[in-house]
Amino acid sequence: MSEREERVELTVDGETIAGRAGQSIAGVLLAAGRTHWRSTAAGGRPRGLFCGIGVCFDCIVTVNGVRDVRACQRRAHDGDVVLVQGPQDEGRAGEEP
Amino acid sequence: MASVIVVGAGIVGAAVARALAHEGHAVTVVERGASAGGTSASGEGNILVSDKALGPELDLALRSTELWRALEAELRAELPRDAPSIEFEPKGGVVVATTDDGARSLLAFAARQRTAGVVARELGPDEAHAAEPHLTDAVVAAVHYPGDAQVQPAIATEALLASARLAGARVLARAEVLAAAPGDGRIAGVVTSRGTLRADHVVVAAGPWSAAVAERLGSSLAVLPRRGVVLVTTRMPRTVRHKVYDADYVGAVESGAAGLQFSGVVESTASGTVLIGSSREQRGFDARLPTEVLRGLARRALALFPCLADAAVMRAYGGFRPYAPDHLPVIGEDARVPGLWFATGHEGAGIGLSLGPAELVADLLAGRPPSLDPAAFSPARAGLRTAERAA
Amino acid sequence: MTHVVVVGAGPAGLAAAAAAAEAGARVTLLDGAEHLGGQFWRHARADDDAPRAPRLQHAWSRYRALRDAVRRECEVVLGASVWAIDVSGERAVLHALVGEADGRAREPRSWRPDAVVLATGAHDRTLPFPGWDLPGVVTAGAAQAYAKAEGIALGRRVVVAGAGPFLLPAAVSAATAGSRVVGVYEANPLRTLASGWLPRAWRLAGAWRKGIEAAGYLADLARHRIPYRVGTAVVAAHGRERVEAVTIAALDATWRPVAGSERVVETDAVCVSHGFLPRLELPVAAGCALSAERFVVVDEDQRTSVPGFWAAGEITGIAGADAAIAEGRVAGASAAGAVPDPRALRMRARHGRFAERMHAAHGIRGGWTAWLTDETVVCRCEEVSYGRLVATLRHAPDAGLRSLKLATRAGLGICQARVCGRTVEELIVAERAPGDATSDARPLAIPVRLAELALGEDATPSQRKEHDV
Ligand SMILES: Cc1cc2nc3c(=O)[nH]c(=O)nc-3n(C[C@H](O)[C@H](O)[C@H](O)COP(=O)(O)OP(=O)(O)OC[C@H]3O[C@@H](n4cnc5c(N)ncnc54)[C@H](O)[C@@H]3O)c2cc1C
Ligand SMILES: Cc1cc2nc3c(=O)[nH]c(=O)nc-3n(C[C@H](O)[C@H](O)[C@H](O)COP(=O)(O)OP(=O)(O)OC[C@H]3O[C@@H](n4cnc5c(N)ncnc54)[C@H](O)[C@@H]3O)c2cc1C
Ligand code: FES
């Protein structure tokens, strides 16, 4: 089977989402009908894809424990554990991890 | 009352302008660019006593810290309610030693500071971890300085200028000082790119460019730039509670060596980023950024907080600290050109130290006995003159 | 043998690498993406032989030829993000991290080549409007990229808006990917478009492919029954969790909305771009001079102002993929020490005119700020509103960009002002005299993990020129 046809499965905040090998994490999320994932630090506003080419950082997610990964740039791998980032991850409120 | 021109709208010029305007002098601040666009917008906002050894600079720091605490409330009373806060935060500092030698000199340094009234509490490794849970396990000894504080330097500069304006000061931006206005030996004013301004006194507060301004005004000054670079991470959950320095900080600040030096300083900001400072290097006004500097900063920060390994650094920025050969500020009137004053050379502490010198200039100009002994900061002091001759 | 490193494997970089190799140089071609081809030939790595959306790819055979040439003749390193150029020593050093985007413990690699060709391209510029930060509002480039590389349609009822010829392919792509495109809204009125495009139209004949392409896109629009409206703009987006509708208004020639012309259109995806901005991180780090319009200044041979550095493609001016290829060929040959092919020089000359025209026809006009409200987010990362920026400026009447950014945090977030920088600068200029600073300096071209920064290789101090005082 060529890479084009392979399937990958990610968990996003615990939910399993299937995609195609070669897709970006944002591509997998969008194809699954999710238009937004992150929420902003101050206003808790929903954000998802904006520039699509790694410039705006609106799409960042935590992948396998590493934060601030641009979902539009990172290729999805089978078994990736994705967490969406929200105000609690941004240190604004002075909270400890 | 006198008319005074202040050259430079950085934090020192802003503080001097405010102090003089509040005394009733007619003040004009002349700035070649925009306000708070130079060194005061290129560094950090630490107001420190922890790094100052006994001597005139510590006295100036203690006095300035007192003035900062009062200033917050004064500005709140003077400025409109929706003006941005200067973000004064007395969060305290923790200095960390990770070797036995380092611990010995740190504790001895702190003991000497205590004789001058500095609050410096020794912390053992367990106490250090209680204060900073993510600190390296390698900590041997630490000292907590509750007196260390911070402000947002650019906002503080604008707030000082706003306060000065309310007291009648004028700011002339985008006007570069080019020469002295024609006079008869005493300073008579300045020629700027936007015309000639006359005044009884001219105070040079042009940061690392002060030597060039002094020369344009018919004098000279041994103030040079010392490059510094800071790293900024993306926002992250709060991991650092105080300002945390490695004990080498003290050495780098005091040392005059030209080579690249680092003093590890790590802290979380109110916006959620972590600031990692800073380097010191004498390379003129060369703004190129060697990777070696970035790497050195990263190594220092990781030595203090190994848990920052995956933190994403999104920016490196820096500026040029104005320093004098003997590493003390230059505050006072120039005996060679009457009416010409200096308020500069605060090196890596110009934010924290800005208020003391402003008070000193106001006292000296009014002929009042100053609250601090001005001799150590005098433009005529031996430490400056020898260097000028050598240059 | 001359060693040339080319940064960026879009049309310009591919052409540069191929030309440099042809001229006999040893060539290393780097790109942060996992595919060759840049934005123009964007595709998933696995689809390199047959693109997923063949109808959306133009001149694919050209791509194949360039790709095969560089694979044969050059060292190609993909997933290689160049994060810094260190010019403090005798010789410039390029530092890259090779591995997955924003990964940890990526492989550090550094090069000290004889010549560098920078071909880092451009990204969309989108002006803020109320609701532009709602999910479902994306740049036209994002819609294009996701249609091409992933075959994804971003919505069922799509609105395309902004300024520039690039709105046309974006609309066609959206339609081809399966969206119904409600309309394409170009902000400039016909008069401005005509005065930009029509005079001395014969001079444009050289850029014939552009003309044919544009005509083709217009025919496609007609085939998909997509209306193309000029002098109109999306001036607000509405919705809660995502965009649900937009307000479309007529604009005057200065882009000020005409009162009473507003109408609300339902939509679930809005693609908006008002032009392109060059990716200047690396040229600025290298010290390359910029023009008044802030593109990299190059000479006849695509040399920048810094010896050893050449530049090609959109970082030198927005002129499309054909111009990028022509510039790349000139830059690559020159960087390798050869004389550029006269055909490439002629082709470049034809396309340069196109760039001037495009700016005259589609450039941003100052009246757009009239569609902002106090609550409109200007800086998306730090959520700084227009009202806050203006109020802060009023409190600090002599402040410039630096002071304003530090007081409001506009531009200090994770995108490092790539999205809002120009806008904030222009808002200051609108309030007062010309600005004295820009947001272009980003010594770290991408974020780097602290441990990656700590571990990499250095130029040793002895290799550095001392600049003692
Ligand atoms: C990386 C770094 C970190 C730092 N961290 C700290 C810290 O944590 N705490 C601290 O207290 N200090 C710190 N500092 C030091 C502090 O920033 C400086 O000491 C202080 O900002 C100096 O202020 P200033 O007003 O003297 O100079 P500036 O802010 O540089 O102001 C001088 C002004 O004079 C203007 N000027 C120059 N020439 C002319 C002319 N010919 N005509 C008109 N105008 C002119 C300039 O445009 C400029 O605006 C740091 C510095 C750096 C570089
Ligand atoms: C999202 C987007 C989609 C576009 N789609 C089209 C289209 O469909 N049709 C059309 O006519 N025009 C399109 N354009 C316009 C397009 O930019 C040009 O026509 C053409 O691609 C320019 O070629 P270039 O080689 O100058 O730059 P690009 O094609 O943009 O190539 C630049 C390359 O440099 C790489 N790069 C940048 N910085 C670094 C770094 N620090 N380290 C390593 N690599 C780096 C990038 O990953 C990229 O691959 C698009 C533009 C954008 C922004
Ligand atoms: S959408 Fe802009 S960086 Fe991913």
Side-chain angles (χ1 to χ4, degrees):
Chain A
M1 197 161 56
S2 79
E3 192 185 359
R4 289 184 77 143
E5 317 308 329
E6 269 171 45
R7 288 174 63 76
V8 294
E9 274 186 4
L10 330 178
T11 64
V12 180
D13 282 347
E15 186 196 337
T16 303
I17 298 188
R20 218 176 44 230
Q23 272 186 304
S24 65
I25 289 177
V28 172
L29 290 166
L30 288 164
R34 293 189 60 164
T35 51
H36 51 91
W37 39 92
R38 189 168 75 91
S39 49
T40 59
R45 297 177 168 97
R47 296 281 174 83
L49 188 80
F50 181 63
C51 75
I53 61 164
V55 168
C56 74
F57 292 78
D58 250 4
C59 65
I60 51 175
V61 289
T62 297
V63 182
N64 304 329
V66 179
R67 49 177 294 128
D68 297 341
V69 175
R70 288 165 291 174
C72 71
Q73 297 296 292
R74 171 64 76 87
R75 192 149 48 94
H77 291 292
D78 200 39
D80 277 348
V81 177
V82 177
L83 299 176
V84 306
Q85 294 181 196
Q88 74 284 355
D89 304 302
E90 310 273 350
R92 270 232 161 148
E95 289 303 307
E96 307 261 341
Chain B
M1 287 296 120
S3 56
V4 184
I5 289 168
V6 177
V7 184
I11 195 154
V12 175
V16 169
R18 175 176 186 265
L20 296 181
H22 279 249
E23 300 227 325
H25 298 295
V27 177
T28 305
V29 181
V30 181
E31 165 59 53
R32 69 174 171 195
S35 56
T39 323
S40 301
S42 308
E44 298 171 87
N46 299 318
I47 302 174
L48 304 188
V49 291
S50 54
D51 64 339
K52 311 277 186 307
L54 286 195
E57 207 190 7
L58 179 59
D59 299 341
L60 193 62
L62 288 168
R63 178 64 188 146
S64 295
T65 307
E66 258 170 52
L67 292 171
W68 273 113
R69 279 173 204 272
L71 181 74
E72 234 230 327
E74 289 167 25
L75 290 176
R76 222 177 307 119
E78 290 171 35
L79 301 184
R81 282 236 310 256
D82 63 338
S85 152
I86 63 169
E87 298 175 14
F88 177 81
E89 198 189 333
K91 74 199 291 194
V94 174
V95 185
V96 176
T98 53
T99 61
D100 290 333
D101 276 356
R104 256 192 307 278
S105 40
L106 169 64
L107 298 181
F109 185 77
R112 284 195 298 277
Q113 287 176 312
R114 275 194 290 271
T115 64
V118 174
V119 184
R121 280 195 3 244
E122 287 179 25
L123 306 177
D126 289 346
E127 291 167 301
H129 280 115
E132 284 295 337
H134 301 279
L135 196 61
T136 170
D137 289 337
V139 50
V140 177
V143 177
H144 178 216
Y145 291 87
D148 283 0
Q150 71 185 41
V151 284
Q152 211 309 316
I155 303 177
T157 303
E158 299 294 359
L160 289 165
L161 284 175
S163 165
R165 281 191 201 92
L166 288 174
R170 200 162 69 93
V171 180
L172 190 65
R174 287 176 295 281
E176 179 169 355
V177 169
L178 303 171
D184 53 2
R186 205 194 141 77
I187 198 103
V190 295
V191 178
T192 80
S193 54
R194 293 178 67 181
T196 298
L197 301 170
R198 306 211 144 256
D200 305 325
H201 302 274
V202 175
V203 184
V204 178
W209 302 279
S210 294
V213 174
E215 223 158 275
R216 288 176 181 192
L217 297 180
S219 186
S220 65
L221 183 69
V223 163
L224 292 168
R226 198 175 187 191
R227 176 111 162 102
V229 175
V230 180
L231 304 178
V232 193
T233 72
T234 58
R235 275 203 285 264
M236 66 174 75
R238 195 155 178 119
T239 7
V240 185
R241 293 179 180 177
H242 302 80
K243 299 169 175 301
V244 180
Y245 331 98
D246 69 32
D248 298 350
Y249 190 77
V250 176
V253 173
E254 305 250 293
S255 158
L260 176 59
Q261 296 172 308
F262 296 100
S263 40
V265 185
V266 183
E267 68 175 308
S268 297
T269 69
S271 59
T273 62
V274 173
L275 285 187
I276 296 168
S278 66
S279 61
R280 289 165 187 268
E281 191 178 13
Q282 291 169 23
R283 44 193 285 124
F285 283 108
D286 182 355
R288 293 175 300 179
L289 190 54
T291 339
E292 171 196 3
V293 171
L294 307 177
R295 300 211 193 279
L297 289 168
R299 286 183 193 133
R300 292 297 172 123
L302 282 178
L304 286 172
F305 290 98
C307 65
L308 292 177
D310 286 343
V313 179
M314 63 176 177
R315 185 166 197 82
Y317 70 90
F320 300 94
R321 305 177 183 90
Y323 82 96
D326 57 4
H327 301 281
L328 284 175
V330 187
I331 310 160
E333 191 170 4
D334 186 344
R336 296 161 298 179
V337 184
L340 179 64
W341 296 68
F342 297 114
T344 187
H346 303 77
E347 196 154 357
I351 306 303
L353 295 185
S354 55
L355 300 183
E359 185 185 54
L360 195 52
V361 169
D363 286 345
L364 293 173
L365 207 117
R368 277 192 304 265
S371 53
L372 292 169
D373 179 4
F377 310 116
S378 163
R381 68 186 187 246
L384 281 184
R385 277 204 316 271
T386 25
E388 267 174 40
R389 261 201 308 278
Chain C
M1 197 178 190
T2 309
H3 182 207
V4 179
V5 170
V6 179
V7 186
L14 282 171
E22 198 179 313
R26 178 162 80 82
V27 180
T28 305
L29 173 62
L30 310 175
D31 200 297
E34 293 192 350
H35 70 283
L36 290 169
Q39 305 310 344
F40 187 67
W41 288 309
R42 171 119 172 192
H43 61 279
R45 194 185 62 158
D47 300 341
D48 205 37
D49 284 315
R52 182 160 296 276
R55 273 191 298 161
L56 300 183
Q57 297 287 2
H58 293 270
W60 188 255
S61 56
R62 187 105 187 248
Y63 165 69
R64 292 256 284 257
L66 284 169
R67 176 198 70 186
D68 294 345
V70 302
R71 288 236 176 99
R72 214 170 37 237
E73 313 285 346
C74 310
E75 180 198 15
V76 177
V77 190
L78 293 175
S81 296
V82 178
W83 60 271
I85 293 185
D86 184 347
V87 289
S88 62
E90 309 252 313
R91 218 182 219 208
V93 189
L94 274 70
H95 294 285
L97 286 165
V98 185
E100 292 205 295
D102 302 327
R104 61 192 298 282
R106 287 165 285 184
E107 182 200 355
R109 288 193 64 182
S110 304
W111 292 270
R112 287 184 184 75
D114 303 299
V116 179
V117 180
L118 298 173
T120 50
H123 62 82
D124 296 74
R125 172 165 186 199
T126 300
L127 297 174
F129 52 87
W132 74 307
D133 59 332
L134 281 170
V137 180
V138 299
T139 67
Q144 180 78 325
Y146 271 74
K148 278 186 182 180
E150 314 228 6
I152 288 177
L154 293 174
R156 274 190 279 276
R157 279 176 57 85
V158 175
V159 164
V160 178
F166 184 59
L167 300 181
L168 303 177
V172 172
S173 295
T176 309
S179 305
R180 176 164 133 51
V181 180
V182 184
V184 178
Y185 304 96
E186 159 70 50
N188 283 301
L190 204 53
R191 202 164 351 104
T192 314
L193 296 178
S195 65
W197 287 121
L198 294 184
R200 294 180 299 280
W202 53 269
R203 279 178 58 186
L204 259 183
W208 55 276
R209 282 199 27 165
K210 274 288 153 217
I212 291 177
E213 237 174 63
Y217 285 131
L218 286 171
D220 281 345
L221 288 191
R223 191 158 47 78
H224 291 287
R225 291 181 220 283
I226 303 172
Y228 180 71
R229 301 267 181 270
V230 296
T232 52
V234 167
V235 297
H238 317 283
R240 292 174 62 82
E241 289 285 276
R242 61 167 304 165
V243 65
E244 291 159 18
V246 290
T247 300
I248 289 169
L251 303 184
D252 69 15
T254 71
W255 290 27
R256 193 172 265 282
V258 176
S261 69
E262 299 87 357
R263 66 197 168 89
V264 174
V265 173
E266 268 182 45
T267 174
D268 58 357
V270 186
C271 311
V272 197
S273 289
H274 299 93
F276 289 100
L277 293 175
R279 296 176 81 157
L280 293 176
E281 294 84 3
L282 300 181
V284 167
C288 301
L290 306 183
S291 65
E293 297 78 33
R294 309 242 293 278
F295 290 100
V296 180
V297 174
V298 287
D299 71 3
E300 274 300 290
D301 288 347
Q302 302 289 137
R303 272 193 195 88
T304 71
S305 63
V306 178
F309 282 85
W310 282 253
E314 311 268 68
I315 55 169
T316 66
I318 306 300
D322 288 332
I325 292 171
E327 291 164 8
R329 286 175 62 194
V330 174
S334 176
V339 177
D341 179 350
R343 280 170 306 176
L345 291 170
R346 278 199 300 276
M347 189 161 130
R348 185 188 58 185
R350 285 200 293 272
H351 292 289
R353 310 230 161 83
F354 175 79
E356 289 162 31
R357 294 304 176 81
M358 191 165 75
H359 186 76
H362 297 283
I364 293 169
R365 318 287 154 178
W368 69 270
T369 53
W371 70 53
L372 298 173
T373 67
D374 276 357
E375 293 72 38
T376 308
V377 167
V378 171
C379 166
R380 301 166 68 96
C381 299
E382 298 294 308
E383 300 165 80
V384 184
S385 69
Y386 177 60
R388 176 112 184 279
L389 285 168
V390 171
T392 307
L393 279 172
R394 304 239 155 102
H395 284 300
D398 298 294
L401 182 66
R402 269 198 168 169
S403 176
L404 179 69
K405 286 170 75 169
L406 289 164
T408 60
R409 294 201 54 78
L412 297 185
I414 185 168
C415 95
Q416 289 289 297
R418 286 172 174 90
V419 177
C420 73
R422 294 286 170 107
T423 298
V424 173
E425 289 170 26
E426 287 167 15
L427 293 176
I428 295 176
V429 175
E431 283 283 315
R432 58 187 58 156
D436 58 340
T438 73
S439 296
D440 291 338
R442 297 181 189 96
L444 295 174
I446 54 154
V448 177
R449 310 267 168 209
L450 202 59
E452 293 175 323
L453 202 51
L455 290 178
E457 177 216 358
D458 281 337
T460 57
S462 60
Q463 289 169 307
R464 285 180 43 206
K465 225 186 257 158
E466 288 306 330
H467 285 264
D468 270 348
V469 282

